[in-house]
Amino acid sequence: MSENPKKKFLYINRKAPYGTIYALESLEVVLIGAAFEQEVSLAFLDDGVFQLIEGQNAADIGMKTFAKTYRALGDYEVRKLYVEKESLAERGLTAEDLMPIVYEDEDEDYAEKPSIHFVERAEMARLIGESDVVLSF
Amino acid sequence: MSENPKKKFLYINRKAPYGTIYALESLEVVLIGAAFEQEVSLAFLDDGVFQLIEGQNAADIGMKTFAKTYRALGDYEVRKLYVEKESLAERGLTAEDLMPIVYEDEDEDYAEKPSIHFVERAEMARLIGESDVVLSF
Amino acid sequence: MRFGIVVNEGPYTHQASDSALQFARAVLAKGHEIFRVFFYHDGVNNGTRFTIPPQDDRNLQRSWSELALTRNIDLVVCIAAAQRRGILDANEAKRQGKDGDNIAPGFRISGLGQLIEAGIQSDRLVVFGD
Amino acid sequence: MRFGIVVNEGPYTHQASDSALQFARAVLAKGHEIFRVFFYHDGVNNGTRFTIPPQDDRNLQRSWSELALTRNIDLVVCIAAAQRRGILDANEAKRQGKDGDNIAPGFRISGLGQLIEAGIQSDRLVVFGD
Amino acid sequence: MSTLHTVNKSPYERVSMATACAHVLPGDAILMIEDGVLGARKGGAFAKRLAELDGAKIFALGPDLAARGMKATDLVEGVEIVGYDGFVDLTVAHARVCAWL
Amino acid sequence: MSTLHTVNKSPYERVSMATACAHVLPGDAILMIEDGVLGARKGGAFAKRLAELDGAKIFALGPDLAARGMKATDLVEGVEIVGYDGFVDLTVAHARVCAWL
């Protein structure tokens, strides 16, 4: 693909984890997509914000707790996770309810920096409007 | 089954037709179930009320217009269709927007009688509470 | 008590099959009886033996098959729903001129009447879906 | 213009496959190009040749296969999603020790990279789902 | 002759939980399972709706809560946690089960 | 560089159409397809929400309207009906498509 300029990929996550497979299989696309060296952003809004909740444990429903994969995203150069503030507030959640997700900034002596950015709805709308490819599942 | 007393079956229809198959496949259960000579009622609430809209034509989306099957329910001894008034009102619908569904009353010289009964939400709740088996799809 | 269980969604995509399986095990653990598990809509997709879930994930088809074979639970896949979605046993494949089948051990294909019968014969019918 | 199309749901249960098919036909009728149709999640179930829809209903698998064979459209079924749901071609069946396969003509099984590539190579990516 | 109502979807995504709440009778119970347990979170917009519900007990399935990182202290007051065995007991204790799919 | 937003679910069942409406920018368009067209009905509770939307055009897919028994006169004012060919034209006229699944 090197002859093409990079495209801005936006993954929209609007569904809760475990009740359906969309969150998990969306994450699998993100991981594979990372190898293509495009500009990648993840948007979490509506029930998608539940994907990032701290303390998930799916053992007793017989499923894999795949939440830790979000923490590994930094290693895949996926460092822009946008969480909509209004979606959190409506669900009684705050930033402290989410797991910390960080990446190591190689330009600043591998300092750990937060991957999660909290944005207002209007900012989320602008993010969509600046993307080249919007993937929703 | 003749050794058993009749059971009251209630089919709950809450989904719009065509966008998903639930309305159609639910109707297929009702038709098969009619042969078992149980007491059958159908409840239409939430988007399920759209199943009964007059004038459906699915030709241009490549599907079968199965709406006419509801009109045949009387011949299968399925004569109690309860439609929730609040669900209609919320969607901007009135009784006139629905197809007429009737049955022939063999006790009154085969006079045509309406199968659809419009009920308030509280009455719908009572119907559920009086059923033996509730089927939702 | 005697239970009927209905599964309306396929494996993995929705939690319905997982929930139904856990519920079925709890029913048996409590000493109750399961008259039948009926698979309808996309639920018929639980009955294919062709699934290969990731090594570190659960295998829903195998769990259902085990329940059928070790606890003698009747697992019925609706024939009409199965035909629409490509679930076949050897008989159906032959009758329909298909060159193979994919039904899993412990599942049988039958008509919708089996669902109504489950409603009649069970003390409680519990439905899992989308 | 060049289009990529994504289908996230199986045939018949959700309208996604119907909508995608009608959209694909309209794209071609307008003289545009389809780079690829990618089947993900339950969308992989569109690619089984075992479906037998009722006589008076549409046959979605056959319509997709025809589009692939007559218009040379690339239909890709995601391998990871397909394994979870029991969609196999002969190679996969052999590799995984399964006793049969069910992939329909015109469909091929490949990796998720094909979806990303469709996003990169297409002018527009259009997603159909639940 | 009460009813056990099961709800498996988030009230923030679908109308099913609101509809279930609007159709309970005194003595009925609501059991939140799968993504339905998300409706039990304290401080959420749906919590008010649950609080208004009287005459019906509310239960949430523990394994589904745990999967979604929800602890007992996260729940609206009055919501009782049960396991799959408790789910079975609830179906026995009520005369019928109505699934709000 | 506007966006075409597609919505395929009834606003009376799911939140997706409300969310789509809350994320449009001036110049964007919303296309209702499948069960999404149910949101276009005049007199429904969601009609008010659509009327408040300004700066974005609203389209509904004709074949999906017909399937659901909806005529042009049933629709909220300003909703424009297109066919599958018009759907294709809309994707071309906008820079990207955002599906609110």
Side-chain angles (χ1 to χ4, degrees), chain A residues 61-63, chain C residues 9-22 25 39 46-48 51 53 57-67 75 107, chain D residues 84:
Chain A
I61 55 170
M63 294 192 197
Chain C
E9 298 297 330
Y12 309 109
T13 306
H14 300 86
Q15 204 186 334
S17 178
D18 292 280
S19 297
L21 186 64
Q22 304 271 17
R25 286 172 178 157
F39 296 87
N46 286 285
T48 170
T51 56
D57 202 358
R58 74 252 189 235
N59 188 321
L60 286 165
Q61 171 264 309
R62 195 183 298 156
S63 295
W64 281 115
S65 290
E66 273 171 21
L67 203 68
L75 307 184
F107 289 82
Chain D
R84 276 199 183 95

Side-chain angles (χ1 to χ4, degrees), chain F residues 85-96:
Chain F
D85 56 338
F87 184 174
V88 174
D89 292 342
L90 282 170
T91 64
V92 172
H94 295 273
R96 71 196 66 75

